[in-house]
Amino acid sequence: MYNEKYMKLAIEIAEQGRGKCSPNPFVGAIIVKNDKIVGQGFTQVCGQDHAEVQALKQAKDKAKDAEMYVTLEPCAHYGKTPPCAKAIIEAGIKAVYAGIQDPNPKVNGKGFEMLKQANIHLESNFFKDNITRQLEYYLKWIQIQKPFIIMKNAVSLDGKIAADNGNSKWITNEKSRQQVHHLRQEVDAVITTINTVKQDNPMLNVRLQNVFKQPIRVILDPILEIDIHCNICKTANDIPTLIFYDKSLQDKSKLTLLNQTGIQSIPANTITANNKIYLDIDDVLLKLGALKICSVMVESGNKLNSYLLKNKLVDKLYYFIAPKILGGNFNVYDSLNISNMDDKIELSDISIKTFDDNILVSGYPVYSDYT
C-alpha cells in the first residue's frame, strides 16, 4: 500500500544525482518490504546504473515481493544500460509507485506497460509538481530538444554589472561567488559572448574544494575574434569548450589555431540587426540540444541578457544583488526597452537567500506579450 513518506524520500535521494548524470534525468528509487527500506539508489553517471538498478543491487534477494517507489517511470529500452522495467520484473518486485511518466519517446508509457504486463501492481502521478520542477532541465530538453536556460546576473544595488571603466571584479562577495560555482557545476554548459571574453578574460570553470564536473564552456564569437592566448583557449585542452561562429565567415584561417588549443568550432546561422551580424541564438540552442546539452547558464553582458529576455528564452533567473551603488551606464538589461508597465517581466515561484550582505533572488520569468 502506497505510503507518501517513501516517495518524499525518493525525491530527496534523487538530488544526489543532480548535475552528475546528464543527459539522463536524476532519479531516486526506494525499495520497501514489510514497511522497512531494504534498498535505495539514485541515477549514476551516464552509462552507469539508473536509480532502480542501484536500489535493486542494494536490496538483493529482499527485492522479491517488495514495493518500489521511484520518481520517474522506469525506462523500457536498451541504451547504454538495459531497461530498468525488465530488471524490476526479474527481481520480483510486486508493486511500483512512480512519480511521473517519462515523456521520452523511447519510454513514454512503455515502462509502465511492461510492468502491467508482468502483473506488477502500478500506481503513478505522485508529487507531480515537485518532480516536474526537480527534473525541469531534462523535461524541457527531452520534449523540445533545446536546453533549459538559466540566466545568472551579479549586480549592484542600482542594477549595474560593472563600473564605468568596465571593471566588474568584484561586485558580489566571496560567498555569492562560491554559490555561482555550485550552479556552474550543476549545469551542462556555461554560455558567454566574445565581448565578455575580451573584457574580463574569464575562466568560466568551477573552482570549489571538491569538483565533480566542469561545465562545457560555450563562446558566441561570430567572426572569431577570440585571442588564442586568453584563459579560455589556454585551458581548452582540460575543459571542453565550444565556439560558435558565423557559418558564412570567409576567413577561416583561425579555425586551425583554435582546434590546436582543443576548442571545438561550430558554424551557426546568423541574423542581422541594427546593421550588425549576430549569431542566431535559436540555431545555437538547437545545436546544443543535439549535443545532449540539457541545461545552460548564461553569464554575459547586457546585450545578450536583454536579447534572451526580450525573446522569452530564459527559463530561470538567478539575480545576485550586492549593497553597492555604481551609477554609470552598465545596466544589466540595457537593451530590453520595456516602455509600458503592462509589459513588465515578473518572476514566479520566488526564492530569496542571503550570503552575508548579498541577496540572491531566483525565480521563473513570466512573460507578457510585448514584442
Side-chain angles (χ1 to χ4, degrees), residues 13 38 43 61 78 91 103 176 196 199 206 220 241 243 268 270 280 288 299 306 308 323 335 352 361:
I13 288 172
V38 296
T43 310
D61 58 351
Y78 283 88
S176 289
T196 297
Q199 177 69 39
V206 177
L220 307 182
T241 307
I243 284 186
T270 57
D280 182 341
L288 291 175
E299 297 192 56
S306 299
L308 292 173
S335 306
I352 298 175
V361 179

Side-chain angles (χ1 to χ4, degrees), residues 31 56 62-68 87-96 119-121:
I31 297 175
L56 288 169
K62 293 177 183 176
K64 184 172 175 56
D65 294 325
E67 300 171 333
M68 176 178 284
I88 291 169
I89 293 167
E90 291 175 348
I93 293 286
K94 71 174 182 180
V96 172
N119 295 316
I120 292 175
H121 178 76

Side-chain angles (χ1 to χ4, degrees), residues 146-192:
K146 292 179 184 177
F148 187 94
I149 299 179
I150 294 169
M151 178 181 288
K152 185 275 293 182
N153 299 132
V155 302
S156 63
L157 201 58
D158 54 339
K160 300 301 188 291
I161 56 175
D164 253 4
N165 66 357
N167 184 15
S168 61
K169 295 181 179 177
W170 295 102
I171 291 178
T172 52
N173 64 27
E174 176 65 24
K175 286 187 178 179
S176 289
R177 298 198 299 274
Q178 284 291 299
Q179 181 63 19
V180 171
H181 287 291
H182 285 289
L183 292 172
R184 284 180 185 169
Q185 189 166 230
E186 181 180 316
V187 298
D188 294 338
V190 175
I191 296 182
T192 197

